[in-house]
Amino acid sequence: MKKEEPGMVRYRRNRIAGGTYFFTVTLHDRRDDALVRHIDLLLASWQKAHARIPHRIVAAVVLPDHLHAVIRMPDADVDYSRLWQEIKKGFTRQLQSAAPSPWQSRFWEHTIRDDDDLRAHVDYVHFNPVKHGLAARAADWPHSSFHRYVRENKLPPDWGITT
């Protein structure tokens, strides 16, 4: 058994065959806008990671300094920790910067329990740009799966409007 270093936190990640998970992944500097400034690099690294680690994006939103995603993994053997490692690594490499990785080393994960929990997290993802004052309504934020939900008639275009 491997000995742990003093002060190290040991994370237990939940793995369920066909499980769905909500993630928050954040940059170190919460004032940075690299994710939207380099959205093309982020999407390219995510696409490349998808080829290696199969998953289905149920919902996602990319904000300037963090992103949220609801992802379904096909089986319990698929390693979502590796998925985020691949996305972060690919994005960082494509930035072609001598600076250290812009990402926080960890990510936050929640296992979706049921349909109500799924609906609540998908709504949270889609409303997040409005919550952060980046858009007046969900439809105004370009980096969101909300637009796919509208195209598929799962949500109306005026969903998430604040008055």
Side-chain angles (χ1 to χ4, degrees):
M1 184 170 181
K2 185 179 173 184
K3 278 192 163 188
E4 290 183 32
E5 305 260 340
M8 284 188 66
V9 177
R10 187 171 180 182
Y11 288 93
R12 288 182 166 244
R13 300 284 189 189
N14 202 13
R15 305 238 193 279
I16 299 170
T20 303
Y21 307 90
F22 169 80
F23 298 98
T24 300
V25 184
T26 308
L27 296 179
H28 278 298
D29 183 354
R30 296 302 300 258
R31 297 164 299 172
D32 194 352
D33 68 349
L35 297 182
V36 293
R37 191 166 18 99
H38 301 291
I39 190 73
D40 55 331
L41 302 180
L42 177 63
L43 297 178
S45 67
W46 199 328
Q47 192 170 34
K48 193 171 182 180
H50 183 269
R52 292 189 192 120
I53 301 115
H55 62 284
R56 185 169 81 79
I57 301 169
V58 177
V61 66
V62 178
L63 302 174
D65 63 337
H66 69 286
L67 64 87
H68 298 290
V70 177
I71 294 178
R72 183 162 294 132
M73 303 303 285
D75 57 53
D77 294 332
V78 176
D79 186 354
Y80 54 72
S81 294
R82 190 170 147 243
L83 171 65
W84 290 116
Q85 179 184 27
E86 291 287 323
I87 293 169
K88 290 175 174 182
K89 182 175 62 176
F91 179 75
T92 302
R93 283 182 182 157
Q94 289 185 75
L95 285 177
Q96 298 178 345
S97 169
S101 173
W103 299 100
Q104 287 187 6
S105 60
R106 304 237 185 246
F107 57 85
W108 193 82
E109 162 258 323
H110 164 79
T111 303
I112 301 296
R113 297 179 306 270
D114 56 29
D115 288 342
D116 290 338
D117 194 28
L118 175 63
R119 202 168 13 263
H121 281 85
V122 168
D123 286 351
Y124 180 85
V125 164
H126 291 152
F127 194 73
N128 212 251
V130 178
K131 173 188 166 197
H132 285 283
L134 298 168
R137 58 192 189 124
D140 294 338
W141 189 251
H143 313 300
S144 173
S145 59
F146 173 77
H147 304 286
R148 174 172 43 98
Y149 276 65
V150 170
R151 279 193 311 274
E152 295 172 356
N153 293 315
K154 293 179 180 177
L155 288 174
D158 62 350
W159 181 94
I161 294 176
T162 60
T163 54

